[in-house]
Amino acid sequence: MQKQNFTEAIEEIVALDRRYDAEAYSFVREGLDFTVKMLKKSAHGAPEHRHVSGQELLEGLRRYALEQFGPMTKTVLDYWGIRQCADFGELVFNMVEKGVLGKTDKDSREDFKSGYDFEEAFVRPYRPTKRPAARRSHRAHRPGNENTRRPHKPLAPGSETLSSGSN
């Protein structure tokens, strides 16, 4: 029996489970690769192949999504049908059931349910931070202090216009 390629497997999954766009599966697969590289960098010489836990994958997917889509991350994920961390688990286990990804006996969909809040993870990093209120200058106009300003010199007759328009 010939091994099925990724695209064919995803087409079959999407035909059976229409909750998620095919692009969501590609994103999770790319996010897994990103996570493996991220973990290798942080482990400094760890073994070549090692299992990625659900929580590690969630963090890798969060970072990868922000890197790829920036402030549009939540919008893109929502368009693909991904609205919470549990959706990442559903995508992963759909691919596991199709033989696209592997798992250990300890892995389950539950591993993805205690992840992060999408608003906090994908929107908050791009919200403007509140600046402290600007201090008023000692020269600032304060209501009720109109008479404390220096008096203006009276204008010469006929000098009320600033420009004759022929500048």
Side-chain angles (χ1 to χ4, degrees), residues 89-109:
E90 292 296 317
L91 291 159
V92 166
F93 276 86
N94 282 351
M95 289 189 277
V96 166
E97 290 165 3
K98 201 64 175 163
V100 175
L101 297 178
K103 74 172 197 77
T104 68
D105 292 337
K106 293 180 181 179
D107 294 326
S108 74
R109 283 178 165 85

Side-chain angles (χ1 to χ4, degrees), residues 45-112:
E48 278 286 314
H49 297 288
R50 92 176 204 22
H51 178 70
V52 176
S53 73
Q55 290 300 307
E56 289 170 327
L57 182 55
L58 283 176
E59 179 58 19
L61 290 170
R62 184 188 69 78
R63 289 184 185 188
Y64 183 63
L66 291 170
E67 185 178 289
Q68 293 298 305
F69 307 118
M72 292 297 297
T73 298
K74 189 169 182 281
T75 302
V76 171
L77 294 177
D78 186 65
Y79 182 78
W80 290 338
I82 305 169
R83 294 173 183 90
Q84 58 188 343
C85 289
D87 290 322
F88 286 130
E90 292 296 317
L91 291 159
V92 166
F93 276 86
N94 282 351
M95 289 189 277
V96 166
E97 290 165 3
K98 201 64 175 163
V100 175
L101 297 178
K103 74 172 197 77
T104 68
D105 292 337
K106 293 180 181 179
D107 294 326
S108 74
R109 283 178 165 85
E110 297 298 315
D111 298 339
F112 294 87

Side-chain angles (χ1 to χ4, degrees), residues 28-45:
V28 169
R29 180 69 186 114
E30 292 165 10
L32 175 60
D33 293 341
F34 175 89
T35 303
V36 169
K37 290 176 188 172
M38 178 184 80
L39 292 172
K40 280 183 185 179
K41 284 181 185 177
S42 66
H44 304 295

